[in-house]
Amino acid sequence: MAELNVIDNAAAGRFEVNLDGQTAYAEYSLAQGVMILPHTVVPTAFEGRGVGSALARAVLGRARAEGRKVIPTCPFIAAYIQKHPEWHDIVHETHRARLGIA
């Protein structure tokens, strides 16, 4: 599979992947030193193609690059973080226990 093109649509407050006329996205909002991650949508047709993971890596990578902590209220992003310890350090302290990370 070709590498996915993930774009930051800052005007819409979301990272997006456009494939086959459909859009998958991970929403975010920015506050003082934090990035809130409330919702991710991946169309059924994209399942198993790594689209959700690509969105998660992009949004979490931006947070890390900007020195922000994340508040993952989206179940998909929260589960992705739980499975990938390399992102544990950027989870805001108020959400670490909820994700079961130290």
Side-chain angles (χ1 to χ4, degrees), residues 10-91:
R14 64 191 202 177
F15 279 79
E16 301 175 342
V17 171
N18 296 295
L19 287 174
D20 306 327
Q22 297 184 63
T23 302
Y25 58 89
E27 295 176 344
Y28 67 87
S29 62
L30 304 176
Q32 294 179 329
V34 299
M35 179 182 276
I36 302 161
L37 307 171
H39 191 58
T40 301
V41 173
V42 178
T44 304
F46 293 0
E47 289 178 7
R49 297 171 74 178
V51 173
S53 294
L55 289 166
R57 285 189 304 273
V59 73
L60 295 170
R62 175 170 173 204
R64 175 171 280 146
E66 293 178 353
R68 294 180 185 274
K69 296 294 185 181
V70 297
I71 297 176
T73 58
C74 167
F76 176 82
I77 299 291
Y80 183 89
I81 291 169
Q82 287 173 314
K83 293 176 190 171
H84 295 88
E86 65 271 23
W87 299 110
H88 290 185
D89 64 304
I90 65 169
V91 175

